[in-house]
Amino acid sequence: YITVYHLTIKKAYADMYCRQGENLEKAGKYPESIISYKRALELAPKVDYYCAELARAQQRAGNYTEAESTLKRAMGLNPGNPFHYAQIARLYADWSAKLPADSSERTTKLNSAFIYYGIQAVLSPTNPQVYREMGEVYERQGDYQAAVLKYQQAIKMDDQLSDIWFRLGKAYQQGQDVARMIDAYERAFKLGNKQPRAELGKLGED
């Protein structure tokens, strides 16, 4: 009973430090939030959620290598949690954007992002947001054709998501496919998304 009591107390303190870290992180105090998350992990080292929270703060602080290590620890603790694969995919995508466009390291990080998005897709086969995020990464790289394919995959899963129709329209716009752009924007607008009107207004000004 004493052992169980001590474990319960430690977990309660760990949760307290985690909440403290979340509040500090929301305030933009990333170094302080990192300290709080690490204290939580010291008390409960096998809680993968604390690792994920710590990694997010580390990424926001620009500590990509540390965030990568922390997320791999989270995946080791709970390999079946698709959230960890999504988070590390976002980490690699964000990391790649900070690297020179012609560097091999940037290419490696992008490839890693898509590998982990792929794992997330396997673990969450009905989640269209996986493909939306992949599409956004391709779009940021200027590969609009690949972006269109990912957005279309997302829409096949759920055609009622206005933000994905809007992203599809943007990708068509960047690829200068005007007819399909208008169709996607109209679908987004009918679903309640007001952004297409602004985009079409900009085109009218040009």
Side-chain angles (χ1 to χ4, degrees), residues 102-152:
D102 58 350
S103 72
S104 60
E105 187 180 2
R106 179 185 176 122
T107 301
T108 299
K109 295 293 184 289
L110 274 174
N111 289 339
S112 295
F114 288 120
I115 286 170
Y116 283 108
Y117 274 130
I119 295 172
Q120 186 199 5
V122 171
L123 293 173
S124 302
T126 60
N127 183 1
Q129 298 301 334
V130 180
Y131 296 100
R132 179 187 63 78
E133 289 192 25
M134 292 174 75
E136 288 177 350
V137 175
Y138 278 122
E139 197 176 342
R140 288 198 297 270
Q141 302 306 312
D143 191 344
Y144 304 116
Q145 186 175 4
V148 164
L149 291 174
K150 293 303 175 185
Y151 293 140
Q152 287 175 336

Side-chain angles (χ1 to χ4, degrees), residues 168-187:
L168 177 61
K170 286 285 289 183
Y172 280 135
Q173 182 178 344
Q174 295 294 338
Q176 299 183 340
D177 190 336
V178 177
R180 288 190 173 92
M181 173 200 75
I182 292 172
D183 180 64
Y185 278 163
E186 285 181 348
R187 293 293 297 270

